[in-house]
Amino acid sequence: MSVPVCENVVLVGFMGSGKSSVGRLIARFLHGRFVDTDRLVVDRTGGREITVIFAEHGEAWFRQEESSALLSLIGGSGLVVATGGGIVTVPENLPALKKLGFVVWLTAGEEVIWERVSRNKRRPLLHTENPRETVRTLLARRNPMYEAVADLTIDTSELTHSEVAERICRRMREVPV
Ligand code: S3P
């Protein structure tokens, strides 16, 4: 049996950690509303896809829009929020993520991440000469940031999206509101 979401659930983690797929499942299980910050940025800035935003305005502009999309969610309830993998790189976003809700870090081993992200080309930060090396560098830089903000960490390397979502839902039912 499902129960309504009382506190917002906020998913953070590297590209390919499964935030959007898992988030949609959690929202369904807990009767919450799924929000994807990437989608929100796209909608709030005229509908251009992320790769186009990066190409036309650059990463810094995207980060500003991402931070303001994040702030716009604070105060909402029953939300399940999947965030972009780089949201933790802006220091002001860390308290905002905590304020928004219960933060879950979805991790996965480097090989698993690489295997997942190399399947699609829609991630502008990986349009480099050596995307495999970029993944390694970004992961090393960002992992401490995800760790610093997380209330709960789940290694998704060997779990299905449903298994990850179920674990989070089980935990949410235990969180006092
Ligand atoms: C980014 C991750 C992407 C998107 C943008 C930048 C990053 O989101 O926000 O391409 O810096 O890691 P996903 O984590 O959903 O792929």
Side-chain angles (χ1 to χ4, degrees), residues 23-156:
R24 277 196 197 88
L25 287 173
I26 297 173
R28 197 187 309 153
F29 292 161
L30 298 182
H31 302 304
R33 182 163 76 87
F34 175 71
V35 184
D36 186 314
T37 59
D38 278 352
R39 197 70 245 160
L40 204 51
V41 169
V42 168
D43 292 344
R44 286 161 56 101
T45 59
R48 288 158 306 169
E49 289 307 318
I50 302 286
T51 39
V52 177
I53 294 177
F54 268 70
E56 289 183 356
H57 298 285
E59 183 178 352
W61 192 88
F62 171 78
R63 294 289 167 220
Q64 282 176 17
E65 291 300 326
E66 183 176 53
S67 297
S68 97
L70 172 63
L71 288 178
S72 77
L73 295 172
I74 292 176
S77 63
L79 303 178
V80 181
V81 183
T83 59
I87 205 159
V88 292
T89 62
V90 175
E92 295 76 27
N93 288 347
L94 302 185
L97 289 162
K98 293 291 250 190
K99 194 166 175 193
L100 180 57
F102 185 77
V103 182
V104 183
W105 174 25
L106 302 185
T107 70
E110 191 180 307
E111 277 305 322
V112 175
I113 292 279
W114 172 246
E115 202 259 312
R116 292 178 188 167
V117 296
S118 53
R119 281 190 225 136
N120 94 56
K121 302 278 172 257
R122 288 191 311 255
R123 293 184 168 108
L125 286 188
L126 301 181
H127 297 168
T128 60
E129 260 180 33
N130 187 345
R132 179 73 183 80
E133 188 55 35
T134 306
V135 165
R136 176 172 304 128
T137 309
L138 288 178
L139 263 178
R141 196 182 300 154
R142 291 178 177 181
N143 278 348
M145 302 172 187
Y146 298 128
E147 191 175 12
V149 80
D151 296 305
L152 170 70
T153 301
I154 298 184
D155 186 344
T156 67

